[in-house]
Amino acid sequence: MEKYLLQLKQMASGRWAKYMAMVLLFLLIAAAASLWVSPPQAFAQLHSGMEETNFDPHKQVGHDHSDGTHSEAGITVSQALFYTVRAIYYAAFMFAAGLMLWSITLSKDADSSLSKLVQKWSIYSLRGLLLAVLLFVFVHASQLMKGYDGGNSNEWVRLLTETSTGQSWLALIVLSLLGFTVLRMHDSLKMIWALLLIAVESFNGHVNALPSNTFAIVFDFIHIVCSALWAGGLMLLLLLWRTDRKEAGRFAERFTKVAWLTIVLLTISGIGMTALLLPSWRYLFYTSWGFMLLAKSGLVLIVACVGFLLHRRAKQQKLPNGKLLKLDGLLMALVLILASIFTYVSPVADTEPLSYHKMGETLHYTVIITPNGPGPNDVKLKIWLPETLGSPASVQFLLRTPDNPKKADINVPVRGASGENYLAFPGFLETDYESDKFELPTRGAWEAELIITDQTGAVTKQLIPFRND
């Protein structure tokens, strides 16, 4: 009889593993389909739209927020505290959501060591999540309110109720409290709770600042679901390894199957979000956000290698290797720390657009390059010639880098445009031009050459040195 019950438990456990694999496979197809059917313009939208959005909580409540007033050299104690609290919150979030998702796939035998462990740590994870959320919201809100009458309770209420960031914090607090009730309810409600918690986090990130963010939010949601499954499952496996190694071996076989799918989905959704967030792949090597993403990707690659070794042992019906498990746990901690930081750092470089104006006796001109960083840029030209000459017969705009003089010039085609006449010069006629997107392949020193041919055939050349870093 006991043998028969054990077989039933194993069959039920296997069915849940298959269901979880089917759900992840569905998410994989959804992510791949999103990439396939997304129109090219969805990936081509530059961050001019993102920069103009009202994503800053200060702007949403009418604060005159200036980065310059708070900029300091190096990492301050308050910044170190903030990132530490954020890392704690991120780890607690992943563990609580992941453990709740995994708990619905496990055997319902209350006497099994796995069930007892899940029941015990589910309470611990929810307590940790509630404390981490409260601490995170307080520290983050305190930092945002610096210099904005932070002692006024009305300002705190406005921050929490009138901004998308504050509203997401309130939702996190409410869901953290509801988790204790959901833990005693049906499995379907546990899954709904975990997915709602993840949905709130996916709406509170960089992707929410994109002008067209539907696909980005879908990618972010899939990314966080898979991260929670991986982090929660690995933490559960590490806890089992300390208490019941035979049970850890049985759970390892199930976990490694799911882990492979999560890593594939993490890769696809991560690539999708990066393609939508970054104007150019060059920003990976240009911004601190890009460096951290590359570091995280390298760690995930190592995780995949460790996971392959663990999966191979699980298929051979062997117990997990303790050193590999500890290495996987260390890599998980590093990935979560990096993720908690770079999800807060802006993915867009803080570049200064070039605006160059020069006046002369027979020529005035203005050159504007936006955003003036490596990758795609726009050019706007304003040219004033004497009224007797009329508009230019032709205009050329060339770019070259002094650091590599042998490299061919970049010819930026310009066409006529209807610009605003914000400057008027008596006796001169203004003509406006603009370009399609063009690429500045590197950062550093550049030189623009403006070649103007007037109606008489006379050619005027102007050199404009600038930097794009």
Side-chain angles (χ1 to χ4, degrees), residues 333-353:
L334 292 175
V335 169
L336 290 179
I337 290 171
L338 272 177
S340 68
I341 296 174
F342 97 99
T343 51
Y344 183 74
V345 175
S346 174
V348 183
D350 185 18
T351 56
E352 192 71 30

Side-chain angles (χ1 to χ4, degrees), residues 60-340:
Q60 294 181 31
V61 295
H63 289 157
D64 182 18
H65 180 59
S66 173
D67 292 332
T69 58
H70 302 293
S71 60
E72 300 177 25
I75 299 294
T76 64
V77 174
S78 61
Q79 288 173 333
L81 174 63
F82 170 77
Y83 285 119
T84 301
V85 169
R86 184 169 176 82
I88 293 171
Y89 156 72
Y90 211 72
F93 173 91
M94 289 296 176
F95 184 38
L99 197 58
M100 194 71 84
L101 288 173
W102 274 105
S103 67
I104 66 176
T105 71
L106 304 178
S107 170
K108 303 307 173 188
D109 183 3
D111 295 327
S112 70
S113 58
L114 181 56
S115 295
K116 290 179 180 178
L117 189 71
V118 170
Q119 186 177 6
K120 173 184 175 181
W121 281 95
S122 293
I123 293 290
Y124 290 162
S125 68
L126 289 174
R127 290 173 182 171
L129 175 65
L130 180 59
L131 291 174
V133 167
L134 292 174
L135 182 61
F136 169 69
V137 170
F138 175 75
V139 171
H140 197 171
S142 298
Q143 189 179 68
L144 284 174
M145 294 304 295
K146 282 183 180 179
Y148 300 105
D149 197 11
N152 188 340
S153 58
N154 290 334
E155 291 301 309
W156 281 74
V157 172
R158 293 181 65 204
L159 178 64
L160 292 173
T161 59
E162 297 181 22
T163 70
S164 57
T165 301
Q167 291 162 3
S168 70
W169 291 343
L170 289 177
L172 283 173
I173 294 172
V174 171
L175 285 171
S176 299
L177 290 169
L178 285 175
F180 296 96
T181 302
V182 171
L183 193 60
R184 296 174 174 83
M185 302 181 77
H186 194 267
D187 287 346
S188 58
L189 291 176
K190 293 179 183 179
M191 175 173 283
I192 292 172
W193 177 87
L195 295 179
L196 282 175
L197 189 71
I198 291 169
V200 170
E201 180 65 22
S202 65
F203 273 92
N204 187 27
H206 294 310
V207 295
N208 196 40
L210 288 168
S212 298
N213 57 14
T214 303
F215 287 112
I217 290 175
V218 170
F219 284 136
D220 198 19
F221 178 78
I222 294 173
H223 201 77
I224 299 175
V225 168
C226 294
S227 300
L229 281 169
W230 171 64
L234 181 57
M235 184 61 72
L236 189 57
L237 184 56
L238 286 168
L239 292 171
L240 277 172
W241 178 253
R242 295 186 61 185
T243 57
D244 189 338
R245 298 201 171 180
K246 289 185 178 179
E247 189 68 41
R250 288 190 287 268
F251 180 71
E253 185 175 2
R254 191 184 325 165
F255 169 70
T256 52
K257 289 177 182 177
V258 174
W260 273 111
L261 273 175
T262 61
I263 289 176
V264 172
L265 273 167
L266 282 168
T267 303
I268 294 176
S269 57
I271 292 172
M273 281 192 294
T274 303
L276 286 168
L277 279 170
L278 295 186
S280 168
W281 61 268
R282 293 183 178 90
Y283 277 64
L284 291 173
F285 308 98
Y286 179 62
T287 62
S288 55
W289 188 90
F291 291 141
M292 283 187 280
L293 178 60
L294 291 174
K296 180 192 170 190
S297 302
L299 289 173
V300 171
L301 183 61
I302 300 175
V303 165
C305 295
V306 174
F308 170 77
L309 296 176
L310 288 172
H311 182 63
R312 189 172 64 175
R313 288 185 65 87
K315 285 186 68 176
Q316 295 171 352
Q317 303 296 318
K318 295 181 180 179
L319 291 177
N321 183 284
K323 291 182 179 179
L324 285 178
L325 273 180
K326 292 175 183 177
L327 175 60
D328 218 13
L330 176 62
L331 292 171
M332 177 190 70
L334 292 175
V335 169
L336 290 179
I337 290 171
L338 272 177
S340 68

